[in-house]
Amino acid sequence: MELWDVYNSDRTKTGKTMVKGEQFENGAYHLVVHACIFNSKGEMLIQQRQPFKAGWPNMWDITVGGSALSGETSQDAIERELFEELGLKISFKNVQPSLTVNFDVGFDDVYLIEKDVDLNSLVLQYEEVKQVKWATLEEIISAIDDSTFIPYYKSLIRLYFEMRHQYGCHNN
């Protein structure tokens, strides 16, 4: 059972919690985190979800993602997700998300990371991850078109690739 903190539309904790799967009250939001790891070749580490996963079974996805548990900061949550799903230990102390995407019932903090990772060193979480691989922007867009990748907006995936070297909205 996952317990989530409930936020208001200003991203302030309300002091309430909810159980994953419960109906959201009107005006209630929760925190989600995602990380995209890019190697020095400019490829993104992607994962294939297990075929028995309830959401998007067997589909390819960006590196990792999940909901923040009650009491976690965004940074705590992304550290935990990376370790749980891939066995990667990366510190996010004093690291801000590269961007936040708002959705109907929450806030999705996205971290863009540059790190060469040896795929053979990863410890995949059986309950979540079937396999991983490196993929180019073109390969991901093609997989979205082929319905083998979660149907993210292609412009959002392109933005992740564009922003991977910087913070902010301006090209330095």
Side-chain angles (χ1 to χ4, degrees):
M1 176 179 80
E2 283 188 23
L3 193 62
W4 300 340
D5 288 320
V6 176
Y7 295 79
N8 66 21
S9 61
D10 293 325
R11 197 173 168 155
T12 303
K13 288 184 183 180
T14 64
K16 296 180 182 178
T17 58
M18 67 180 288
V19 175
K20 176 184 178 176
E22 282 183 351
Q23 187 71 25
F24 280 83
E25 293 178 8
N26 191 29
Y29 300 86
H30 80 295
L31 177 62
V32 173
V33 293
H34 279 91
C36 299
I37 297 179
F38 295 90
N39 64 18
S40 55
K41 296 178 187 174
E43 299 165 319
M44 184 192 295
L45 179 60
I46 62 174
Q47 65 159 278
Q48 186 177 25
R49 299 167 63 82
Q50 287 285 14
F52 48 80
K53 287 284 294 171
W56 312 108
N58 229 25
M59 295 189 79
W60 287 93
D61 196 356
I62 61 179
T63 310
V64 296
S67 294
L69 302 178
S70 182
E72 287 183 326
T73 65
S74 174
Q75 292 81 1
D76 294 336
I78 198 61
E79 282 185 23
R80 177 183 49 76
E81 288 292 340
L82 277 165
F83 187 72
E84 280 180 0
E85 293 185 18
L86 303 179
L88 271 178
K89 193 102 171 111
I90 299 174
S91 173
F92 285 83
K93 186 176 178 173
N94 300 319
V95 176
Q96 293 180 311
S98 298
L99 67 151
T100 299
V101 178
N102 298 306
F103 60 103
D104 343 355
V105 293
F107 316 98
D108 188 349
D109 285 346
V110 181
Y111 294 85
L112 304 176
I113 305 159
E114 297 258 353
K115 185 172 181 62
D116 285 315
V117 175
D118 176 7
L119 299 185
N120 295 319
S121 71
L122 299 178
V123 179
L124 306 184
Q125 182 183 22
Y126 175 76
E127 297 80 10
E128 300 272 342
V129 184
K130 182 177 179 181
Q131 63 180 322
V132 294
K133 67 180 180 179
W134 293 105
T136 64
L137 171 61
E138 295 76 19
E139 289 167 333
I140 294 172
I141 297 299
S142 178
I144 291 171
D145 289 339
D146 293 343
S147 300
T148 57
F149 202 97
I150 292 177
Y152 291 99
Y153 291 112
K154 291 183 243 179
S155 57
L156 184 62
I157 298 295
R158 287 184 185 99
L159 181 64
Y160 294 163
F161 274 83
E162 273 293 311
M163 290 185 66
R164 71 184 188 272
H165 296 297
Q166 63 196 41
Y167 277 113
C169 298
H170 299 99
N171 190 4
N172 296 330

